[in-house]
Amino acid sequence: QVQLVESGGGLVQFGGSLRLSCLASGSILELNDMYWYRQAPEKERELVASSTNTGRTSYAESVKGRFTISRDNAKKMVYLQMNSLNPEDTAIYYCSAWARDTYYRMRQYWGKGTLVTVSS
């Protein structure tokens, strides 16, 4: 099985910064596209940022210029640097990745999430 574990969430003041990390482990033959999603209370889960295994990135309009996704393939990690945070960014942030396991099956995996709370 492939497991994703997020870390780095917490409470931050308006205008502050946080860096989220996600470690992939388990029976991984290869990691492909990786993502950060978030889900705010009473809202649908939304895609925040994505990164291909060659470093191509994309962002939701609401976070462009403030968030940066990056990855370290050797460490099997993906990061989300979040700057200029505001209360609208308060959500549970989830790491996700497409990965091929040792049975050669390509599947999308999800972490359990890490809570980011931005106070005003």
Side-chain angles (χ1 to χ4, degrees), residues 10 20 33 37 46 61 68 71 73 77 79 85-86 94 108:
L20 305 182
D33 293 1
Y37 287 79
E46 65 172 339
E61 287 294 325
T68 303
R71 61 193 290 164
N73 291 328
M77 296 193 71
Y79 309 92
L85 289 164
N86 61 70
Y94 298 90
Q108 187 173 10

Side-chain angles (χ1 to χ4, degrees), residues 23-43:
L23 172 65
S25 62
S27 303
I28 303 171
L29 288 180
E30 61 178 314
L31 282 172
N32 294 102
D33 293 1
M34 303 189 76
Y35 315 90
W36 285 99
Y37 287 79
R38 69 184 181 187
Q39 187 166 23
E42 300 182 335
K43 292 187 177 181

Side-chain angles (χ1 to χ4, degrees), residues 43-114:
K43 292 187 177 181
E44 295 183 353
R45 184 174 298 183
E46 65 172 339
L47 177 63
V48 175
S50 62
S51 175
T52 71
N53 57 4
T54 57
R56 295 170 59 188
T57 61
S58 62
Y59 300 91
E61 287 294 325
S62 60
V63 306
K64 281 185 177 179
R66 300 189 298 122
F67 290 11
T68 303
I69 187 172
S70 61
R71 61 193 290 164
D72 186 329
N73 291 328
K75 295 181 178 179
K76 295 184 175 62
M77 296 193 71
V78 63
Y79 309 92
L80 185 68
Q81 178 66 46
M82 305 184 294
N83 300 325
S84 301
L85 289 164
N86 61 70
E88 299 301 316
D89 297 314
T90 295
I92 299 174
Y93 284 73
Y94 298 90
C95 174
S96 182
W98 281 94
R100 191 178 300 278
D101 63 17
T102 53
Y103 293 97
Y104 299 96
R105 299 176 299 187
M106 184 71 74
R107 297 179 175 181
Q108 187 173 10
Y109 295 87
W110 295 84
K112 294 182 178 180
T114 185

